[in-house]
Amino acid sequence: MIASGRIGTDVPRVDGLEKVTGAAQYTADLKFPRLLHVAVVRSPHPHARVLDVRTEKALRMPGVRAVVSGRDFPLHTGIYLKDQTVFATDRVRFVGDPVAAVAAETPEAALEAAALVAVDYEPLPPIFDVEEGIADGAPLVHPDLGSYEVVPWIRPKSGTNVCNHLKIRKGDYASALAGSWRVFENVFRVPQVQHVPMEPHVSVARVDLAGKVEVHTSAQSPFTVRHLLAACFGLSHGDVRVHVPYVGGGFGGKAGINLEPIAVALAMRCRGRWVRFMVDRHEEFYATVVRQGLTATLVTGVDRSGKVQAQKMHYLWNCGAYGGYGVNIVRSAGYTCGGAYEFPNVEGDSIGVYTNRPVGSAYRGFGMQEIHWALEQQMDKVALEIGMDPVEFRLLNALGAGKATVTGQVLDEHAGRVDLCIRSVADEIGMDPGRQKTPYRGKGIACAVKAPAMPNDAASSVVMKFAEDATLEILIAGIDYGQGLMTVVAQFAAEALDIPVEMVRVRGCPDTDLSPYDWQTVASRQTWATGNAVLRGAEEIRRKLCDTAGEALGVPASELILRGGAVVHEATGRSLPLARLVMGYQFPDGHAIGGPVASATSYLPEGLLFLDPETSQSAKPVAKWTFGAQAVEISVDPETGQVTVERIAACYDVGRVVNPGLIRGQTYGGIVQGLGTGMMEELLVDTKTGRAMNASLMDYKIPSTEDVPAEMVVDFVETPQKDGPMGARGIGEHTMIPTPAAIANALYDACGIRISEMPITAEKVWRALKEKERAASEAGVAPAVPASVTA
């Protein structure tokens, strides 16, 4: 039998009910008898002291089983910086900050009781803007910042609104800038946006009579949820059990911890009862987490050849009210501030700033789309100002083997080829500098790079075991929420053991009491980390099978191979099917050897080193880099400002294409999500009241099928990752990173206007065109239309 499902082939997704514990089966089996429902009392103020919380009337309501507040649970949580209260204690910090919560027999009773909770506030001056927040004398969002628990590599500044500051210092920036031929400085901005997962956040919790906490939650990281709950409530990890069923979308918004502490707090007051907390779509927009905003100031100095000699990046991140997770985005953006380019002299500052906006957290790309929005437009502007083709300018300055990143890491030949990605998309879109141009049609390009932003000890593990018929079962704790993790796990195992993929069952829906450990399903790390753990497990299984078969056949184990579901001795042609070995082998006289074949293996990134605290220099600060590029062709309606993306080409160096269908799907989806954040998405907050003004799908636009480009062309480069499973590296987040910047650059090519603040809406384009016409009219010249004319 020939193994099917080889690496590099289109294997059907391994997530149907016939393959794994499916969503419908899970829902049918999962019963929550006597379920209690939660309503939360939220702050109406963006910033205020909490003077008193009175819950007596709410407690007297029929059907109410518990009412809790910060007086009952004065606790903090956070994955990197423990700055977020479960319920407000001394103050509230954004509109929607939880102050109290009710558990009742019906949703209606919970809502009625929550309305009876009385809270006395003393309003404080709010901060919504990062420049205001970082100014001397600004009101402090967290006066107690210096007392919070924090991991060693995050650096908040007590007595300020700075929750983290990462410095990059490479070479001699000041001297290089002074010696540059031309210098360019520009400012770019990115707003907060919402993840808009199809399934809102929801958690169900119970505390049994022995005190064990059990949580079912829609999350990306079951073991991190367990860890943070245990730390928050002072529990043993063995007394917290977390289940994660199929997740209806996350995009980073369900990483770390979210609703779970509120559900657990109420469950502690209602022992033995299940307590369910789900936000509605309106709350999802402002009361969970959002992507952080960014103000980026870039200064670039070039020599006469077009080589960048000095580069400054100054990032101010709008972390919102709490930075427990967002501080790591600040860090990640800092050590990736050079993007896909070699900059010999760098001054970089990535600074996280507290404001009274919704809570900033992880979002697909983890800060990379935001910094590339700035850097890739800067590269285009510099190239055009000095008279160079933007494609050639990028190729001249691109990273590659033997070149050093902004942290001083020298890349080897396995690190990836951004130059090939640039050439691929430029050729596909036809970005020849001598091309014939058409008014109001333009072409643009942008590069992308991302490394997994994770602790140096972020591990993944798997358990692999056989059923009696030699069906291979693989237990994982990584979350497959659409990216295809279960499928590629099955492919890796089938390839390594030379068995048909149909013989593999991947068990998802992790349970921290029963599943092997995994840090988090974030950072585009699962194919790489879990894939490596699977290959290690497969090697252990191969060795056990060959040892048993060797004894059974009377040949050295070293002479045996696995082929087509059997252990084969090629020299003699003798073989044993796996079904005769996986539970042990019995000889004709009745004695048996071996035993059930299984493995438990893990993978931990190797050789990672901390960044220097003053310069962020490090020989190996991250596990891997994934490079890519996108190029687009757009058309602009000058009457309405509407921009239409006609064609888009994407190319990424993925190391090894494991499943072409899945990786194309990831790329298409990332392009469309990038188009959404780039052209239409922005969470609008009223700077007088602090309230979200478009917290509904009626007012917050996301892409629909009508917004999908008419043509999307996807290509991949395969430079094998040295420590990747069969050479593969991560790709999930990277596919949306360069899209907005490529569109912005194409817009300038089309009509000579530049939008520096995301998103690129029709209104902004129309106003910029009108302003250009007005300026031309005042100057007494005809307005320049053309993509061929510099604005």
Side-chain angles (χ1 to χ4, degrees):
M1 180 164 48
I2 299 175
S4 62
R6 290 296 193 186
I7 298 298
T9 62
D10 283 312
V11 174
R13 290 183 59 87
V14 180
D15 58 4
L17 293 181
E18 75 283 1
K19 297 294 184 186
V20 297
T21 305
Q25 177 184 335
Y26 186 94
T27 303
D29 292 345
L30 187 58
K31 303 295 183 184
F32 298 123
R34 301 171 64 230
L35 183 69
L36 296 176
H37 302 269
V38 174
V40 172
V41 179
R42 299 188 181 279
S43 169
H45 301 283
H47 197 196
R49 286 192 180 89
V50 178
L51 303 179
D52 191 24
V53 180
R54 297 183 296 281
T55 61
E56 297 81 7
K57 289 184 179 179
L59 278 166
R60 290 197 295 267
M61 282 288 293
V64 171
R65 297 293 172 259
V67 183
V68 296
S69 69
R71 185 167 50 240
D72 307 294
F73 293 95
L75 306 173
H76 286 75
T77 188
I79 184 170
Y80 301 114
L81 172 64
K82 291 186 178 178
D83 63 351
Q84 186 162 4
T85 52
V86 176
F87 300 103
T89 51
D90 62 321
R91 66 179 62 200
V92 289
R93 296 178 171 88
F94 72 104
V95 171
D97 211 352
V99 177
V102 176
E105 298 290 347
T106 66
E108 295 78 11
L111 287 169
E112 289 180 26
L116 295 176
V117 174
V119 186
D120 294 335
Y121 298 99
E122 178 189 328
L124 296 169
I127 295 172
F128 299 109
D129 180 78
V130 286
E131 284 92 348
E132 181 186 353
I134 205 170
D136 292 339
L140 296 182
V141 179
H142 287 266
D144 298 327
L145 177 57
S147 67
Y148 295 158
E149 187 177 336
V150 61
V151 297
W153 35 272
I154 297 297
R155 297 177 178 85
K157 292 189 175 181
S158 178
T160 74
N161 287 314
V162 174
C163 54
N164 191 25
H165 182 179
L166 186 91
K167 298 178 182 179
I168 298 285
R169 301 292 186 267
K170 177 187 177 186
D172 186 345
Y173 167 77
S175 297
L177 189 72
S180 294
W181 171 53
R182 299 279 301 276
V183 175
F184 305 88
E185 179 173 351
N186 293 288
V187 179
F188 304 88
R189 291 182 170 84
V190 180
Q192 288 185 328
V193 301
Q194 232 298 318
H195 304 77
V196 199
M198 185 178 296
E199 174 201 36
H201 283 72
V202 57
S203 298
V204 183
R206 182 183 67 174
V207 179
D208 67 21
L209 299 182
K212 179 154 186 174
V213 175
E214 187 170 2
V215 177
H216 296 256
T217 187
S218 181
Q220 297 178 218
S221 318
F223 283 91
T224 295
V225 170
R226 183 183 72 170
H227 175 68
L228 294 177
L229 285 174
C232 180
F233 290 97
L235 301 170
S236 163
H237 287 63
D239 290 330
V240 181
R241 183 179 189 179
V242 177
H243 309 256
V244 174
Y246 275 93
V247 176
F251 309 111
K254 294 176 182 175
I257 198 166
N258 290 281
L259 309 186
E260 296 88 359
I262 292 177
V264 169
L266 286 164
M268 285 181 167
R269 294 299 176 89
C270 306
R271 293 290 180 101
R273 298 290 299 272
W274 288 103
V275 176
R276 180 177 183 263
F277 179 23
M278 183 178 77
V279 296
D280 61 23
R281 181 59 65 184
H282 178 66
E283 289 178 298
E284 182 74 32
F285 273 98
Y286 70 92
T288 55
V289 292
V290 300
R291 187 174 81 176
Q292 298 180 150
L294 173 66
T295 298
T297 302
L298 273 63
V299 180
T300 304
V302 296
D303 63 20
R304 291 182 179 275
S305 72
K307 191 78 173 68
V308 176
Q309 295 299 329
Q311 183 66 44
K312 179 178 181 178
M313 282 78 61
H314 188 264
Y315 300 149
L316 292 178
W317 292 93
N318 195 324
C319 295
Y322 300 102
Y325 210 125
V327 290
N328 198 32
I329 298 168
V330 176
R331 178 177 180 269
S332 172
Y335 64 64
T336 319
C337 66
Y341 305 106
E342 181 188 36
F343 297 144
N345 302 285
V346 177
E347 181 180 303
D349 290 276
S350 189
I351 303 169
V353 183
Y354 286 124
T355 66
N356 296 112
R357 286 179 176 267
V359 180
S361 188
Y363 184 102
R364 187 178 188 180
F366 212 70
M368 295 302 102
Q369 187 188 80
E370 298 93 293
I371 67 172
H372 283 78
W373 166 257
L375 179 59
E376 288 300 319
Q377 287 202 72
Q378 179 82 346
M379 295 296 283
D380 242 51
K381 292 182 77 168
V382 172
L384 294 171
E385 286 285 345
I386 65 175
M388 278 191 75
D389 172 53
V391 172
E392 292 304 317
F393 183 65
R394 285 174 168 82
L395 290 170
L396 176 65
N397 289 284
L399 280 167
K403 297 182 179 181
T405 69
V406 295
T407 66
Q409 179 183 3
V410 178
L411 302 183
D412 62 21
E413 67 275 15
H414 303 285
R417 297 286 302 275
V418 70
D419 59 324
L420 297 182
C421 297
I422 293 170
R423 295 183 190 280
S424 172
V425 299
D427 290 346
E428 181 62 40
I429 293 297
M431 294 193 66
D432 181 351
R435 68 186 184 276
Q436 183 67 38
K437 298 185 179 180
T438 303
Y440 298 110
R441 291 187 72 93
K443 298 176 180 181
I445 189 171
C447 296
V449 67
K450 184 184 182 299
M454 60 187 185
N456 292 4
D457 58 354
S460 291
S461 54
V462 300
V463 170
M464 303 171 68
K465 60 190 180 73
F466 283 101
E468 290 85 343
D469 65 350
T471 297
L472 178 64
E473 298 174 294
I474 306 177
L475 281 63
I476 63 172
I479 307 299
D480 191 332
Y481 37 47
Q483 81 277 36
L485 173 61
M486 290 183 176
T487 306
V488 298
V489 163
Q491 285 185 264
F492 280 132
E495 181 86 3
L497 296 174
D498 204 341
I499 60 176
V501 75
E502 292 81 7
M503 290 179 63
V504 182
R505 303 290 186 271
V506 182
R507 309 301 188 195
C509 300
D511 172 346
T512 56
D513 271 12
L514 304 175
S515 302
Y517 175 85
D518 198 294
W519 173 63
Q520 291 196 78
T521 305
V522 297
S524 303
R525 60 181 291 278
Q526 281 296 332
T527 293
W528 169 74
T530 298
N532 271 319
V534 168
L535 294 185
R536 288 182 174 183
E539 176 57 28
E540 186 174 324
I541 282 175
R542 187 204 64 78
R543 179 181 56 77
K544 290 180 178 179
L545 289 170
C546 289
D547 284 348
T548 302
E551 190 172 345
L553 295 173
V555 299
S558 60
E559 296 180 6
L560 298 172
I561 62 169
L562 300 184
R563 180 186 297 158
V567 179
V568 178
H569 186 242
E570 289 187 302
T572 62
R574 299 168 67 199
S575 65
L576 285 171
L578 296 188
R580 291 196 60 192
L581 296 168
V582 295
M583 292 298 155
Y585 179 79
Q586 190 172 58
F587 286 88
D589 65 0
H591 82 277
I593 58 173
V597 176
S599 67
T601 50
S602 62
Y603 182 77
L604 191 76
E606 299 172 352
L608 300 190
L609 302 171
F610 283 130
L611 298 166
D612 181 274
E614 295 302 320
T615 66
S616 292
Q617 296 302 289
S618 172
K620 190 178 180 183
V622 297
K624 58 187 174 63
W625 299 97
T626 300
F627 293 96
Q630 289 183 14
V632 303
E633 181 175 3
I634 68 165
S635 61
V636 181
D637 184 339
E639 299 300 318
T640 64
Q642 183 66 43
V643 176
T644 302
V645 179
E646 306 287 355
R647 302 171 60 223
I648 188 162
C651 181
Y652 292 88
D653 191 336
V654 299
R656 178 80 180 273
V657 174
V658 178
N659 186 303
L662 287 177
I663 202 168
R664 283 195 300 268
Q666 277 280 42
T667 308
Y668 297 147
I671 288 170
V672 174
Q673 191 170 7
L675 185 150
T677 53
M679 299 182 69
M680 58 192 73
E681 295 187 50
E682 177 180 7
L683 185 66
L684 299 170
V685 173
D686 187 320
T687 54
K688 292 182 179 179
T689 66
R691 294 179 181 272
M693 297 188 292
N694 57 338
S696 75
L697 289 173
M698 186 71 105
D699 300 311
Y700 186 100
K701 186 171 179 358
I702 60 174
S704 70
T705 53
E706 294 183 354
D707 299 302
V708 176
E711 183 180 357
M712 293 188 286
V713 179
V714 174
D715 189 20
F716 300 104
V717 175
E718 294 183 282
T719 306
Q721 176 73 21
K722 190 173 183 179
D723 61 352
M726 300 184 183
R729 59 173 68 92
I731 181 63
E733 297 170 274
H734 309 71
T735 55
M736 72 173 291
I737 291 171
T739 313
I743 295 169
N745 291 335
L747 178 63
Y748 184 84
D749 188 55
C751 49
I753 62 170
R754 181 141 327 251
I755 305 297
S756 60
E757 184 168 353
M758 204 187 297
I760 307 169
T761 62
E763 180 180 0
K764 287 181 183 177
V765 173
W766 181 84
R767 290 185 183 279
L769 287 171
K770 292 302 178 186
E771 176 59 26
K772 185 178 178 184
E773 290 178 10
R774 185 194 64 76
S777 176
E778 289 180 356
V781 298
V785 171
S788 58
V789 176
T790 301

